[in-house]
Amino acid sequence: MKNVKLIYIFALVVLILAPNVEAKKPKRYQDVPIPTLDWKLPQHQEYRLPNGIEGLLVEDHEVAMVDFYFKFNAPPDPSDKVGLGEITAWALRQGGSVNIPGDSLNDIIEFTASGVYIWTDDEAISIWGNCLSEHLPTILSLVRELIDLPAYPQAKIDLKRGTMLEEIRRKNDQPQWVASREFYKLMYPNHPWGWETSENSLSTISRDDLLTYHNLVFRADGCVIGFSGDLTLDRALELSRQTFGHLTQSEEEIAGLPSLPPPPAPGVHYGHKEVNQAYIYIGHRSIRYDDPRRIASEIMNYILGGGGFQSILMKRIRVDAGLTYAVGSRFTTPVEGEGVFRAGASTRLDQSGRTLELLRKTIIEYAANGPMLEEFNKARDAFVNSYVWEYDSSIKILGRLVYLKWRHLPLDTPQLDLAAYQKLTRDDVKRAAQELLHPDDMLIVVVGDKSKMDRPLEDFGAVQEINLSQP
Amino acid sequence: MLYKIPLLLVLLFICNSWAAASSSGMTLEERVNETTLDNGLKVVVVERHSAPVLFALITFRVGSCHESLDRSGLSHFLEHMLGKGTKSIGTSNYKAEARIMARMEEAAREIRARQTALTNWRYDAFDAYTVKVKADLPLEAREQIGADEAIGLREVLTRLPDDIQELPEEWRKSEWMLADRKHNYWQMFKEIIALRVEMAELLERQKQYITESEPLDAIYDPRGAAMHNAFTTWDQTSYMVGLPANCLELYMFLESDRYKNPVFREFYAEREVIMEEMRLGENNPDEVLSDIFFAAAFDAHPYGRPIIGWRSDVGNTLRGDMEEHFRRYYAPNNCQITIIGAVDTKRVFALTRKYFSDWKPAEIAYEVTVREPEQRGEKRITVELDAEPQLYIGWHIPAAPDPDYYALEMMSNILSMGATSRFYRSIFTEKQLTAGSPYAYTGPGDRYSNLFIVDATPRAPHTVEEVETATYAEIDRLKTELVSAREMERIRNRMRAWELGRMRSNQWLAFSLSSSFAVRGDWRATIDHNRRMMAVTPEDIQRAANKYFTKTNRTVAYSVKKETPAVESESPEKK
């Protein structure tokens, strides 16, 4: 850390001594000097507990506060108990421990102005928290209480179930959510990535299910812990031992994500809502993280629809045509399986045919030709120069390091990616567009009122109806 | 092995030593550097050298409150237009563009005049007719038009009959529909379509001179910008960007040009974008309800109007209106630049002088003078929406620095901050009436007298009325019982943590300092705010609760699910 500070001071001295700022104003923005950004990566430290738990520390004493992030492997919800992970995480945190009931736990956490958050996804259960550094031992002892002696009171389980039922009741209130959700359901049928909770799945979840889940996931193997902020390595080690040192390795298998179903057939899916816009999503499956074209795909999508106002979709459909407020695309590359390419826009009904046409046409052209050289250069510069934002906060660094370690990915992934961006050429991106976009193979999801559209939806393919009546 | 900690021991362990918490040992007041240029521009800087980046915010003290009645939405619209480039950036020939834009402006004015003459009901009917004409075009024509607006409109124009005998019978039968003694309305409508074709063609002509349609992004993004955005509230308009620290001078160059020489190019395309943004809100049940709630709560004050404006106002806004609004409010003496990050203060001040000194100040005569008349009785509004119910309750309260304001702010925290708050415990977890904890806050703005708001989502089968009753029970407790010392201290601890936490975030610090300027004209207001919050006593809260939480002073708005018959949607290609 000391070195880092010295570098900044040095950089500042250079800035101050360098060209006199009162000098004449440049005529064009291209003539404004941009000095080299001279900085050194902040360092982190790694450690390992005797039970195999991996630890990470990003020391930063700017303010006497600490953030922590712990990750344990976890299974996806069983297909007949969708919502199990979410209920478990909530009931664990709000239910407290056998010794410290939820209300007392909340009182301690909130009186000390701390935070402890627990959530799950299909592969992990995660705990994030923050507090004044002086309260860290107390807050960590609470975390240990939750792991060792969880209470899971039935009342809290039922309360969470009740709020989730209310969410189901409200799930079709916002047309944009509906379109997005239906897109994923169609893209991943009978797979956790396309599931949603239902009255049925929630009703089968019992306290025993939660306990089984709990006893399976909180163990040493696969666990990664990390701290950032105002603490030293010695203190991090000591507190880690006190909190997690007693956890043991386990033989019991944690189920992984099931393999993906085959991609859906292309076609038009329509959900009827009496609203004055059409909510459009179109796309198809993408690639996995380990695909060698991942880096090229990121820049490919940035230019098409991921790069905000600079993207082709934004310029053509919003800025130049005034057809929409929100338009863009994503191209995801998950570690565990093929992600999605998805472009979308919302637009007034009597322009929605025109918008869908333009969306499709733009993708077709881009898939054929790739980006122009200038577009590519700007995009690559944006990726290379935004690299500093990977390191602008210790909390952000902590989040990334713990994730990468938990995933068994290289901790220097940002540097590796940076080097790859620097090497990339326009041809790589053009090839990525040609290979990775399949405009003839797209799923089209439209939520709105097709009777008021400027073109029959059938112009875009045979239409299948999505039933949006309440379950 | 079990690891037990007796609860009492844990609780005893807790004491706070906040003073030692900041390693630099400097207070916010000591860390903020500021200067004011001769033209009135305020520059506020905090150096934070932990990463080679900066976050910058430019804030103008103008928001949707500062708009005349029939021009709602101008501030937000202007926020959209200030990324469109300047006389030298984003264009290859500004003079040629200016000529085209002048003709577009005339055409837009002619359209507006005709639309006004047609009146809404007639215009809407004709417009729906043309949409139908367009949808009924043969497939070949539809494909030829594709996404081209000018071609599409021209095609439609050729199919709109000249002879009114070809128009729907009910229109011909109606005496006033198509023409009266003075006007041929149908003809006028066709002229509007022709003018629209002309505008689409003019835009195409202008585009040959536009080198970048959103040039600030085009320049910032490749330099590594993040969070480049802008926002408008009732009180303020702000423009933000995060940049690698080596872009400081580029920032000064581009931003000074942005406010000194802006060009509102592609104005009429952007007007459509804003209409789309508005429709997004119209299809969001919660936004519809909150708009109606504020409109019901305020009879006179512009806090009752949506920031984005009313659809008909925005649809009728001309570039000329925007230029007038810009001249009136966008001056250095109505503005603060806030820069936090790895910068040298002296250099920031020097660069600001270099680039912003020649920006001319203006007379800003805008303070909102209208005062909300005293409410004479409870207002209750029901809205029917295609969504599950939602509830808003609001009581009129004064704004800072009225001493009562701080007691009310404190109260909102006691009611709904965190899982230990009263609403969370009693309404959400004990009575289980809501989908989550009801939320209490003050709003919609901060600069003028506003509302104490409770926003709640009922959980079926419980009704809005049950949630309302439970809310009033908690409010009544504040009137009769003093808030406990521990509850007060908990909120104060949270505030101390906030003060500390913002010192490690460029963005958070910048927002604090700029919104204080927006609301009270001085970044120091944030320090004053926190000091006064800390000093609030349980007695202050009790007094304020009794003074403001009356039935007469309250507005209640809630939505109910609209009963719609199931729609059989027709699928012509299916049997």
Side-chain angles (χ1 to χ4, degrees), chain B residues 313-335:
Chain B
D313 285 352
V314 174
N316 277 320
T317 298
L318 302 182
R319 192 162 50 85
D321 303 323
M322 172 123 320
E323 271 159 6
E324 197 185 319
H325 189 72
F326 175 79
R327 276 194 299 275
R328 196 175 288 171
Y329 295 110
Y330 276 58
N333 47 321
N334 199 30
C335 175

mmCIF file of all heavy atoms in Angstrom, chain B residues 313-335:
data_model
loop_
_atom_site.group_PDB
_atom_site.id
_atom_site.type_symbol
_atom_site.label_atom_id
_atom_site.label_comp_id
_atom_site.label_asym_id
_atom_site.label_seq_id
_atom_site.Cartn_x
_atom_site.Cartn_y
_atom_site.Cartn_z
ATOM 1 N N ASP B 313 -47.926 18.307 -23.167
ATOM 2 C CA ASP B 313 -46.960 19.415 -23.095
ATOM 3 C C ASP B 313 -45.677 19.054 -23.836
ATOM 4 O O ASP B 313 -45.161 19.825 -24.643
ATOM 5 C CB ASP B 313 -46.595 19.726 -21.637
ATOM 6 C CG ASP B 313 -47.716 20.469 -20.919
ATOM 7 O OD1 ASP B 313 -48.681 20.868 -21.599
ATOM 8 O OD2 ASP B 313 -47.612 20.632 -19.692
ATOM 9 N N VAL B 314 -45.151 17.869 -23.541
ATOM 10 C CA VAL B 314 -43.886 17.471 -24.160
ATOM 11 C C VAL B 314 -44.070 17.345 -25.672
ATOM 12 O O VAL B 314 -43.243 17.806 -26.457
ATOM 13 C CB VAL B 314 -43.363 16.158 -23.543
ATOM 14 C CG1 VAL B 314 -42.126 15.666 -24.284
ATOM 15 C CG2 VAL B 314 -43.045 16.364 -22.072
ATOM 16 N N GLY B 315 -45.212 16.770 -26.077
ATOM 17 C CA GLY B 315 -45.474 16.603 -27.509
ATOM 18 C C GLY B 315 -45.572 17.925 -28.250
ATOM 19 O O GLY B 315 -45.359 17.973 -29.467
ATOM 20 N N ASN B 316 -45.883 18.983 -27.530
ATOM 21 C CA ASN B 316 -45.998 20.299 -28.166
ATOM 22 C C ASN B 316 -44.770 21.171 -27.977
ATOM 23 O O ASN B 316 -44.764 22.334 -28.375
ATOM 24 C CB ASN B 316 -47.204 21.047 -27.599
ATOM 25 C CG ASN B 316 -48.481 20.617 -28.287
ATOM 26 O OD1 ASN B 316 -48.492 20.412 -29.492
ATOM 27 N ND2 ASN B 316 -49.544 20.453 -27.520
ATOM 28 N N THR B 317 -43.737 20.647 -27.362
ATOM 29 C CA THR B 317 -42.556 21.474 -27.087
ATOM 30 C C THR B 317 -41.733 21.670 -28.357
ATOM 31 O O THR B 317 -41.451 20.719 -29.084
ATOM 32 C CB THR B 317 -41.683 20.803 -26.003
ATOM 33 O OG1 THR B 317 -42.445 20.724 -24.811
ATOM 34 C CG2 THR B 317 -40.429 21.608 -25.739
ATOM 35 N N LEU B 318 -41.381 22.914 -28.608
ATOM 36 C CA LEU B 318 -40.539 23.242 -29.762
ATOM 37 C C LEU B 318 -39.116 23.539 -29.289
ATOM 38 O O LEU B 318 -38.892 23.851 -28.124
ATOM 39 C CB LEU B 318 -41.087 24.458 -30.491
ATOM 40 C CG LEU B 318 -42.529 24.355 -31.008
ATOM 41 C CD1 LEU B 318 -42.902 25.623 -31.762
ATOM 42 C CD2 LEU B 318 -42.694 23.135 -31.907
ATOM 43 N N ARG B 319 -38.192 23.465 -30.230
ATOM 44 C CA ARG B 319 -36.793 23.747 -29.893
ATOM 45 C C ARG B 319 -36.658 25.161 -29.332
ATOM 46 O O ARG B 319 -35.856 25.409 -28.429
ATOM 47 C CB ARG B 319 -35.906 23.557 -31.129
ATOM 48 C CG ARG B 319 -34.424 23.535 -30.820
ATOM 49 C CD ARG B 319 -33.630 22.927 -31.962
ATOM 50 N NE ARG B 319 -33.982 23.529 -33.240
ATOM 51 C CZ ARG B 319 -33.440 24.649 -33.714
ATOM 52 N NH1 ARG B 319 -32.518 25.273 -33.023
ATOM 53 N NH2 ARG B 319 -33.820 25.140 -34.872
ATOM 54 N N GLY B 320 -37.468 26.055 -29.840
ATOM 55 C CA GLY B 320 -37.436 27.437 -29.349
ATOM 56 C C GLY B 320 -37.765 27.530 -27.867
ATOM 57 O O GLY B 320 -37.147 28.315 -27.133
ATOM 58 N N ASP B 321 -38.747 26.742 -27.421
ATOM 59 C CA ASP B 321 -39.109 26.746 -25.994
ATOM 60 C C ASP B 321 -37.910 26.317 -25.154
ATOM 61 O O ASP B 321 -37.645 26.860 -24.083
ATOM 62 C CB ASP B 321 -40.253 25.754 -25.720
ATOM 63 C CG ASP B 321 -41.485 26.051 -26.563
ATOM 64 O OD1 ASP B 321 -41.774 27.242 -26.773
ATOM 65 O OD2 ASP B 321 -42.123 25.094 -27.025
ATOM 66 N N MET B 322 -37.212 25.317 -25.668
ATOM 67 C CA MET B 322 -36.079 24.765 -24.936
ATOM 68 C C MET B 322 -34.946 25.776 -24.847
ATOM 69 O O MET B 322 -34.299 25.923 -23.817
ATOM 70 C CB MET B 322 -35.592 23.528 -25.669
ATOM 71 C CG MET B 322 -34.324 22.992 -25.136
ATOM 72 S SD MET B 322 -34.505 21.303 -24.640
ATOM 73 C CE MET B 322 -36.091 21.277 -23.891
ATOM 74 N N GLU B 323 -34.725 26.489 -25.952
ATOM 75 C CA GLU B 323 -33.639 27.465 -25.936
ATOM 76 C C GLU B 323 -33.908 28.562 -24.910
ATOM 77 O O GLU B 323 -33.005 29.021 -24.221
ATOM 78 C CB GLU B 323 -33.415 28.030 -27.339
ATOM 79 C CG GLU B 323 -32.416 27.154 -28.074
ATOM 80 C CD GLU B 323 -32.460 27.254 -29.588
ATOM 81 O OE1 GLU B 323 -33.212 28.098 -30.113
ATOM 82 O OE2 GLU B 323 -31.753 26.460 -30.232
ATOM 83 N N GLU B 324 -35.173 28.931 -24.794
ATOM 84 C CA GLU B 324 -35.532 29.950 -23.815
ATOM 85 C C GLU B 324 -35.279 29.432 -22.393
ATOM 86 O O GLU B 324 -34.722 30.143 -21.551
ATOM 87 C CB GLU B 324 -37.016 30.279 -23.999
ATOM 88 C CG GLU B 324 -37.437 31.570 -23.359
ATOM 89 C CD GLU B 324 -38.942 31.746 -23.485
ATOM 90 O OE1 GLU B 324 -39.483 31.435 -24.581
ATOM 91 O OE2 GLU B 324 -39.560 32.168 -22.500
ATOM 92 N N HIS B 325 -35.687 28.214 -22.138
ATOM 93 C CA HIS B 325 -35.485 27.607 -20.817
ATOM 94 C C HIS B 325 -33.994 27.525 -20.505
ATOM 95 O O HIS B 325 -33.558 27.837 -19.391
ATOM 96 C CB HIS B 325 -36.106 26.207 -20.829
ATOM 97 C CG HIS B 325 -36.162 25.538 -19.491
ATOM 98 N ND1 HIS B 325 -37.024 25.932 -18.493
ATOM 99 C CD2 HIS B 325 -35.466 24.478 -18.978
ATOM 100 C CE1 HIS B 325 -36.859 25.153 -17.433
ATOM 101 N NE2 HIS B 325 -35.923 24.266 -17.705
ATOM 102 N N PHE B 326 -33.222 27.137 -21.495
ATOM 103 C CA PHE B 326 -31.773 27.031 -21.327
ATOM 104 C C PHE B 326 -31.169 28.392 -20.959
ATOM 105 O O PHE B 326 -30.385 28.495 -20.013
ATOM 106 C CB PHE B 326 -31.138 26.489 -22.610
ATOM 107 C CG PHE B 326 -29.638 26.456 -22.561
ATOM 108 C CD1 PHE B 326 -28.983 25.444 -21.894
ATOM 109 C CD2 PHE B 326 -28.883 27.447 -23.176
ATOM 110 C CE1 PHE B 326 -27.599 25.414 -21.825
ATOM 111 C CE2 PHE B 326 -27.503 27.428 -23.114
ATOM 112 C CZ PHE B 326 -26.857 26.413 -22.437
ATOM 113 N N ARG B 327 -31.525 29.419 -21.715
ATOM 114 C CA ARG B 327 -30.959 30.747 -21.445
ATOM 115 C C ARG B 327 -31.310 31.226 -20.047
ATOM 116 O O ARG B 327 -30.524 31.886 -19.390
ATOM 117 C CB ARG B 327 -31.488 31.762 -22.467
ATOM 118 C CG ARG B 327 -30.718 31.773 -23.767
ATOM 119 C CD ARG B 327 -31.054 33.015 -24.586
ATOM 120 N NE ARG B 327 -32.466 33.093 -24.942
ATOM 121 C CZ ARG B 327 -32.995 32.492 -26.016
ATOM 122 N NH1 ARG B 327 -32.237 31.792 -26.827
ATOM 123 N NH2 ARG B 327 -34.281 32.605 -26.272
ATOM 124 N N ARG B 328 -32.495 30.865 -19.592
ATOM 125 C CA ARG B 328 -32.971 31.379 -18.316
ATOM 126 C C ARG B 328 -32.233 30.757 -17.128
ATOM 127 O O ARG B 328 -32.022 31.394 -16.122
ATOM 128 C CB ARG B 328 -34.467 31.088 -18.220
ATOM 129 C CG ARG B 328 -35.167 31.878 -17.155
ATOM 130 C CD ARG B 328 -36.657 31.636 -17.189
ATOM 131 N NE ARG B 328 -37.308 32.250 -18.344
ATOM 132 C CZ ARG B 328 -38.581 32.015 -18.661
ATOM 133 N NH1 ARG B 328 -39.294 31.168 -17.951
ATOM 134 N NH2 ARG B 328 -39.125 32.609 -19.695
ATOM 135 N N TYR B 329 -31.879 29.480 -17.233
ATOM 136 C CA TYR B 329 -31.387 28.781 -16.034
ATOM 137 C C TYR B 329 -29.953 28.268 -16.107
ATOM 138 O O TYR B 329 -29.356 27.984 -15.091
ATOM 139 C CB TYR B 329 -32.299 27.588 -15.722
ATOM 140 C CG TYR B 329 -33.695 27.996 -15.349
ATOM 141 C CD1 TYR B 329 -34.774 27.746 -16.199
ATOM 142 C CD2 TYR B 329 -33.929 28.661 -14.146
ATOM 143 C CE1 TYR B 329 -36.058 28.131 -15.842
ATOM 144 C CE2 TYR B 329 -35.207 29.049 -13.793
ATOM 145 C CZ TYR B 329 -36.270 28.774 -14.650
ATOM 146 O OH TYR B 329 -37.524 29.162 -14.299
ATOM 147 N N TYR B 330 -29.437 28.107 -17.307
ATOM 148 C CA TYR B 330 -28.101 27.507 -17.407
ATOM 149 C C TYR B 330 -27.038 28.594 -17.464
ATOM 150 O O TYR B 330 -26.572 28.975 -18.525
ATOM 151 C CB TYR B 330 -28.016 26.570 -18.615
ATOM 152 C CG TYR B 330 -28.538 25.192 -18.286
ATOM 153 C CD1 TYR B 330 -29.843 25.020 -17.829
ATOM 154 C CD2 TYR B 330 -27.737 24.067 -18.392
ATOM 155 C CE1 TYR B 330 -30.330 23.777 -17.503
ATOM 156 C CE2 TYR B 330 -28.218 22.808 -18.067
ATOM 157 C CZ TYR B 330 -29.517 22.666 -17.622
ATOM 158 O OH TYR B 330 -29.995 21.428 -17.294
ATOM 159 N N ALA B 331 -26.688 29.071 -16.275
ATOM 160 C CA ALA B 331 -25.664 30.112 -16.171
ATOM 161 C C ALA B 331 -24.724 29.715 -15.040
ATOM 162 O O ALA B 331 -25.116 28.975 -14.136
ATOM 163 C CB ALA B 331 -26.334 31.446 -15.874
ATOM 164 N N PRO B 332 -23.483 30.202 -15.091
ATOM 165 C CA PRO B 332 -22.494 29.775 -14.085
ATOM 166 C C PRO B 332 -22.926 30.124 -12.662
ATOM 167 O O PRO B 332 -22.590 29.390 -11.730
ATOM 168 C CB PRO B 332 -21.229 30.534 -14.481
ATOM 169 C CG PRO B 332 -21.677 31.640 -15.381
ATOM 170 C CD PRO B 332 -22.897 31.132 -16.072
ATOM 171 N N ASN B 333 -23.672 31.224 -12.524
ATOM 172 C CA ASN B 333 -24.076 31.610 -11.177
ATOM 173 C C ASN B 333 -25.259 30.794 -10.661
ATOM 174 O O ASN B 333 -25.792 31.078 -9.596
ATOM 175 C CB ASN B 333 -24.402 33.109 -11.132
ATOM 176 C CG ASN B 333 -25.283 33.552 -12.268
ATOM 177 O OD1 ASN B 333 -25.124 33.100 -13.401
ATOM 178 N ND2 ASN B 333 -26.242 34.407 -11.995
ATOM 179 N N ASN B 334 -25.658 29.761 -11.421
ATOM 180 C CA ASN B 334 -26.715 28.854 -10.961
ATOM 181 C C ASN B 334 -26.176 27.422 -10.903
ATOM 182 O O ASN B 334 -26.930 26.473 -10.985
ATOM 183 C CB ASN B 334 -27.900 28.932 -11.944
ATOM 184 C CG ASN B 334 -29.187 28.414 -11.332
ATOM 185 O OD1 ASN B 334 -29.390 28.505 -10.124
ATOM 186 N ND2 ASN B 334 -30.051 27.857 -12.167
ATOM 187 N N CYS B 335 -24.854 27.312 -10.778
ATOM 188 C CA CYS B 335 -24.217 26.020 -11.052
ATOM 189 C C CYS B 335 -23.066 25.730 -10.087
ATOM 190 O O CYS B 335 -22.383 26.652 -9.631
ATOM 191 C CB CYS B 335 -23.685 26.085 -12.487
ATOM 192 S SG CYS B 335 -22.747 24.661 -13.006
#
